[in-house]
Amino acid sequence: NAGVTQTPKFRILKIGQSMTLQCTQDMNHNYMYWYRQDPGMGLKLIYYSVGAGITDKGEVPNGYNVSRSTTEDFPLRLELAAPSQTSVYFCASSYSPQATNEKLFFGSGTQLSVL
Amino acid sequence: GQQVMQIPQYQHVQEGEDFTTYCNSSTTLSNIQWYKQRPGGHPVFLIQLVKSGEVKKQKRLTFQFGEAKKNSSLHITATQTTDVGTYFCARGSFKTIFGAGTRLFVKA
């Protein structure tokens, strides 16, 4: 099991450019999440999905879009990159929040700089 | 609203000293989770507490959940350099909300 895999690991964008951060998991988890982590800060929830075809906004969704066409994949799209989106992005997954001792499994992150 | 507050923001200790980080909420928590993030790494789940007054131990780590389920703590006994990193508390196992974390520095 690879767990949660994110690509790319690093990326530099110019203001106004677009890109997609890829996330895939091989644990057959229903729930997937995108978080961003600014330097020295905690994680803020951007979007989440409870299953294929179902997505919803988290705490900080502005400037981002997501889709969930399969159980495995949950890409995050930045349409018009802005300096405020410079951050480390983490994808995470879990089987079911109702399960005992349920926990989040995180990918290794994507470090994004918008200049 | 649903935020969890963590203190302190940073802690510098000498190797062998103890360390404690605290997590507080203004509302009752259904559960509290703790994660550790090594420098340059990703958060890794440590434990979940659910019951009022619950205490759990993992080797040198002791986790407590308050009687009112509004606060929690993580205590590390006799820190080691391998304990370096940021410790996050988080509320909920769905749309999990994270505290800002306590960054632990350990001097050998």
Side-chain angles (χ1 to χ4, degrees):
Chain A
N1 276 0
V4 180
T5 302
Q6 289 184 240
T7 56
K9 292 189 182 301
F10 304 94
R11 184 72 184 268
I12 298 175
L13 285 180
K14 294 182 179 179
I15 294 172
Q17 285 186 319
S18 300
M19 78 162 295
T20 299
L21 281 67
Q22 302 292 343
C23 176
T24 187
Q25 52 91 10
D26 62 359
M27 297 176 283
N28 200 32
H29 284 172
N30 295 317
Y31 294 75
M32 296 188 73
Y33 308 83
W34 274 105
Y35 286 89
R36 60 175 286 173
Q37 183 177 33
D38 298 327
M41 303 292 287
L43 293 94
K44 297 294 185 184
L45 182 63
I46 305 171
Y47 269 96
Y48 66 96
S49 169
V50 301
I54 307 171
T55 64
D56 206 348
K57 298 177 180 179
E59 301 171 271
V60 291
N62 292 345
Y64 307 94
N65 277 301
V66 294
S67 59
R68 184 97 181 268
S69 57
T70 66
T71 299
E72 295 78 20
D73 300 306
F74 190 41
L76 177 72
R77 178 91 178 151
L78 283 71
E79 290 294 348
L80 293 170
S84 61
Q85 293 177 305
T86 294
S87 190
V88 179
Y89 291 84
F90 288 102
C91 179
S93 72
S94 65
Y95 179 64
S96 168
Q98 286 73 38
T100 301
N101 209 31
E102 186 59 7
K103 58 188 177 185
L104 293 175
F105 292 83
F106 283 86
S108 58
T110 295
Q111 187 168 328
L112 176 67
S113 296
V114 182
L115 306 175
Chain B
Q2 298 186 37
Q3 300 300 316
V4 285
M5 306 303 293
Q6 267 189 270
I7 55 170
Q9 188 176 7
Y10 303 95
Q11 183 85 56
H12 292 257
V13 299
Q14 195 76 32
E15 189 173 26
E17 292 181 338
D18 291 356
F19 160 76
T20 304
T21 174
Y22 301 91
C23 184
N24 298 294
S25 170
S26 58
T27 58
T28 302
L29 302 167
S30 58
N31 63 40
I32 194 80
Q33 296 184 339
W34 287 91
Y35 290 78
K36 177 184 178 180
Q37 183 178 28
R38 296 181 184 276
H42 59 276
V44 176
F45 175 83
L46 294 176
I47 208 162
Q48 175 171 281
L49 305 173
V50 178
K51 299 177 183 177
S52 169
E54 189 170 14
V55 177
K56 288 187 176 181
K57 292 190 176 184
Q58 292 179 350
K59 298 183 180 179
R60 295 178 294 104
L61 278 61
T62 301
F63 303 85
Q64 291 189 321
F65 201 9
E67 293 290 341
K69 300 182 73 173
K70 288 186 175 182
N71 56 73
S72 181
S73 65
L74 159 60
H75 179 82
I76 302 178
T77 303
T79 56
Q80 300 175 358
T81 55
T82 53
D83 296 325
V84 163
T86 301
Y87 293 85
F88 294 99
C89 65
R91 64 177 295 161
S93 48
F94 177 54
K95 295 193 289 182
T96 305
I97 303 297
F98 285 80
T102 295
R103 187 163 183 182
L104 174 63
F105 299 87
V106 181
K107 186 176 181 181

